[in-house]
Amino acid sequence: MTSTLPPTVDPARLQEALDGRWAHVRRDARENLHDPEMLPVYGESTAEARERVTRMAAKLAESGRVTLGFPKEFGGEADAGGSVTSIEMLAFVDLSLMVKAGVQWGLFGGAVQLLGTRRHHETYLPGIMGFELPGCFAMTETGHGSDVQQLRTTCTYDPATQTFDLHTPHEAARKDYIGNAAKDGRMAVVFAQLVTQGKNHGVHAWLVPIRDEDGNPMPGVTIGDDGPKAGLLGVDNGRLTFDHVTVPRDMLLDRYGQVAEDGTYTSSIENETRRFFTMLGTLVRGRVSVGGSAASATKLALDIAVRYGNTRRQFAAPGEEREIVINDYRVHQRKLLPALAKTYALHFAQGELVSTMHDVQTAVHEHGQEIDEPAQRELESRAAGLKVAQTWHATRTIQMCREACGGAGYLQENRLPHLKADTDVFTTFEGDNTVLLQLVAKGLLTGYRDAFGSLDGWGRVGFVADMVRETVLERTAARALIQRLVDAVPGRDDEVPMLDRGWQLKMFEFREKHALEGAIRRLRKNSTTPGMAPFDMFNDVQDHVLKTAEAHIDRIVLEAFVDAVDRTADPAAKELLDTVCDLYALSIIEEDKGWFLEHGQLTPSRAKTLTATVNALLKELRPHITTLVDGFAIPAGWKAAAILEEEPGRQEAMAARDAELRAGNGGGTPEGTATDLDVPPGQ
Amino acid sequence: MTSTLPPTVDPARLQEALDGRWAHVRRDARENLHDPEMLPVYGESTAEARERVTRMAAKLAESGRVTLGFPKEFGGEADAGGSVTSIEMLAFVDLSLMVKAGVQWGLFGGAVQLLGTRRHHETYLPGIMGFELPGCFAMTETGHGSDVQQLRTTCTYDPATQTFDLHTPHEAARKDYIGNAAKDGRMAVVFAQLVTQGKNHGVHAWLVPIRDEDGNPMPGVTIGDDGPKAGLLGVDNGRLTFDHVTVPRDMLLDRYGQVAEDGTYTSSIENETRRFFTMLGTLVRGRVSVGGSAASATKLALDIAVRYGNTRRQFAAPGEEREIVINDYRVHQRKLLPALAKTYALHFAQGELVSTMHDVQTAVHEHGQEIDEPAQRELESRAAGLKVAQTWHATRTIQMCREACGGAGYLQENRLPHLKADTDVFTTFEGDNTVLLQLVAKGLLTGYRDAFGSLDGWGRVGFVADMVRETVLERTAARALIQRLVDAVPGRDDEVPMLDRGWQLKMFEFREKHALEGAIRRLRKNSTTPGMAPFDMFNDVQDHVLKTAEAHIDRIVLEAFVDAVDRTADPAAKELLDTVCDLYALSIIEEDKGWFLEHGQLTPSRAKTLTATVNALLKELRPHITTLVDGFAIPAGWKAAAILEEEPGRQEAMAARDAELRAGNGGGTPEGTATDLDVPPGQ
């Protein structure tokens, strides 16, 4: 394969393709979000970090950048997509600050905005937006993180006093890991089981003062500190326990459920489970923000590792004087380039997700339309799936980048330790990734249920293979384009060139469809197996079900990338992105080649061609590796990595001195070399 | 598959099997190494951590536990294996302390002991052993970490003054990441190019004072601080720069190379490269210690995650009252159990390595025998390979364990963040893992060279397939047993039950042999390709070469496990280990099933059986998961994890209260549940 890529691609054109619909928000951040105090400080204590981040959060409030999502009448811009993009940009600067902002304006403010009604908005939104009223989002309990419908905190209405009694019944029911709780929070949106007239109506939310003006805990409220964490030192996570705390009736955030003075409960959504998940669904923004922020940290880590790999030299080739730049080693390329390609892929999928989220939420909250349930459900599934993909990709990629920088990658001054430690919690907060994968899988299986009637136990899961395509595959925006590409695949699948985009798409589609069909078949079989406990029916297929979800997410991501390439205006940038898309698609297939071989989609000889093709793509993309990180357009002032701050010319000076040394001035010429395999045998 | 395992296995019997040859050293540590100040302190600053660890290192010196490896005449026990085992046990307690000890007594003390001669021993070993003379091992430079033969620091002899001139020629030549340098070190073993009579004789080591009695840098020595790191806060890593520092002639550690008063250089090893790697080879203990310490951290992380998963419940099964313990979910088992199995496998391989190292070193250093070059080379290759396997396994497993504990896994009070951050550098220090894999591969390819004559460029690499078995596979202690098992495989490979140990061994052997043959074939082809640059000949095959090394390491590890099972006395423990060995072997094959399918060693239907067999093994081992971590016998006092310190009975009390709540007292009964798929649709 000879390279067909243009010799140079302007990174600014790549940046345009990446910046997308909220380019103005990104541009504003790059140009104006420059406050040295916002950058992480290396070696700061937990107390210092918390202090700094609180101060910076107040500054952020003044900037208006974090209030884009609030209603215009309170000074916001009713721009849900803009608010998420703004958080994503903040994540480049400092992840503690990003999380603090996400708690204050996303989770806490968002809950008041979306679960509360006019009286809550008028009274509290101005203080929330201005950070005069720092608050918490108190949902998770020590004993219930994933299964939040089973929270144990109760809030029981007493018509005699017209107040609620908020109570933590046992230690496992204390609210835990709550951001803003340990130090700053004045109020909290507290989630608890609503009990009135002797009946439990499920989880609802109340706005509850937790500290008085002097910062002391309110009567009945016990506040604990989660103490130092792996990272995010600037976020004051804590624990809240309520000992029969009195909460006035009007502090119930009552958009989706109301309690009258006499204790009568009303709601427009009758089914309790549906009501709870409707409430939760409005809060999807948090999950979308976490995915986007994980992506920012990943991009920054890659930026650092790629630039380091451009200047770091180690081992001379046989007969060569100068040592080899480590980015020239294939194994180093195998680390960096597929990760870069996947970062691009996820970026485009994230862009599509934010755009969808914006439109769905704007329709409901700005234009007063009814919730479009299928669209909302799909949004939640996409948000969950991409959160999983982004955060695991961040964890793995940042780890790889730190290793790719050797000892330098272990020093805080080079930023990578902070990126790793701060993002580490992303895989389990805002939904544990494994649990979220099950949610995605459930969405796929539910498509089935909708098509074939109620799913009441596994026994009645319908199974018609052809329907999979309709219910699962007909969903992404780029569907028409994708279909054209798939239909255009020439000849037999095992003869098509691997760079054929249609073939790549077909592989992704086949895997998802086949995995889903298999999961359904196995679930149906288990449900008719005499004596099998319901839990075992499910548990026996759990690994298969999660595999289905992963295949689904991969396909969504690839389609978003294909669509983005299609929409790229600049021809050179388009060609480069097209090749990056090849690398993404083929490295995903290569990673899972066991599955494709097992299911007859690759022959052994095709599998070997696959490896060779990926290697050829690495070679082709190597000269563009710096352009690819330049495309992220991360301002130098945000990077805070000592290894990127070398004086100009130092590399050259070092090299010159090295040459001198080898020529014998001050060092003589070593008698032998150990370069036949470029590895010293005993080191 | 119905379980054939005994219903209970005594963990003490497992422990016996694991404890092996240095059981007395392990026992002593478990019983007597209990100082609360040695445990990591959560939230301590870098300065506090350094202070504490220095104090603890002095205490350790008094205990005699860290000086086992030194000669008897100075108060040691000449017990190389014991010293490595002692460090491995210390790693359970605090990794900063372990690294500090490894630097002082392993690297610094070890270099003086093994590279120095009698006058160095007499003058310095007592102070080193007693920690009155803290020291550094100053090899790595900012610009040269992997390719240490190309270090740029020079040490030039002047016969007029009978001194050496030690000099750092440019910034990239400064010594970097040097433990004990930033705060405590009084002397350093400094590696530099030895120049005398105008000729460079390659890298040698000198014992150089770096601080005076008052702790001030010696004239010409500039000491920098690497500052805060991702972890290992208690280790004072720093930078050393030498500006024409005068070093007396007798400070050259001259066991392998001497400079006479007039500047004449002599050495018993004529070839410079061989001499350098002979010197390095004596220091293999460091690499062995890192592997063992990574294993300790992994065991502790698994201990925490398994116990947490035994009590943590989430989501109720359909129709069930009580929620399910997360260790009962297959996907959770898929995380924990294969990692546990691999930890066992690596433990036994490590035991074999330590034993070999002990015997090889004792023969030379105690019994004055000549170095057995092939044995020494194989030891170095094994040490490198296991260091890679242990440290990547640690990085991945500790990460997985932290995620398996959800939010609790992110809090420092639960130990996992420390384990992750502290071990993170292990993958790149004491040899970058990728570079070490190349070293292992080189060893395999060199076996070829030895069999077929000198390897002078790739062009003359001989290729005879049958020789692979002889030169590569005929090496491990358990060879006879392995051969019997392989020979006993009944019938065709694709019909043999997958629990047949011989079949598993054959799969591992085949992969290694085939990968090696392919690498050689490709290298030979490249070497005869006109116009191909020597670097490209190698680089084109680099991924293949590393794959070969990984396959080799996997095989060595499996054989060690098989041998250990064979040697286990207790029948119940033996049966359990046998099943854990099955899980290790089959999950490695499953992980790489793409390769086995591609190379015709698995049919698609066998690949499916493989997945089912692994799942069946998980089910069989689930009831023994606690026994498996109990087998590590980690004293409770070493764990320092808040989630393991619950008061007895609390779980039961919580459960009772939960049941009460569900019965309506204080909570009422929720109207609906979301358990049809055990995942709330909107969470």
Side-chain angles (χ1 to χ4, degrees), chain A residues 589-640:
Chain A
I589 296 173
E590 191 188 36
E591 239 174 54
D592 204 18
K593 71 177 173 184
W595 192 94
F596 289 100
L597 281 153
E598 189 174 322
H599 293 85
Q601 300 305 297
L602 283 177
T603 61
S605 105
R606 288 277 282 180
K608 282 169 189 148
T609 306
L610 177 63
T611 304
T613 310
V614 168
N615 284 335
L617 286 168
L618 298 179
K619 205 166 180 176
E620 199 170 9
L621 286 169
R622 165 67 185 92
H624 301 275
I625 194 167
T626 313
T627 303
L628 288 172
V629 292
D630 284 343
F632 298 144
I634 307 170
W638 288 359
K639 294 186 191 176

Side-chain angles (χ1 to χ4, degrees), chain A residues 399-412:
Chain A
Q399 178 72 38
M400 175 276 286
C401 289
R402 119 76 199 125
E403 293 181 24
C405 292
Y410 194 62
L411 302 186
Q412 287 197 21

Side-chain angles (χ1 to χ4, degrees), chain B residues 506-533:
Chain B
K506 271 178 96 169
M507 289 293 104
F508 279 57
E509 283 190 2
F510 177 87
R511 184 173 57 146
E512 177 183 354
K513 184 167 174 287
H514 191 93
L516 179 58
E517 288 172 1
I520 290 167
R521 195 165 40 232
R522 290 179 58 191
L523 284 164
R524 196 178 53 161
K525 180 162 164 274
N526 286 350
S527 72
T528 56
T529 301
M532 198 167 193

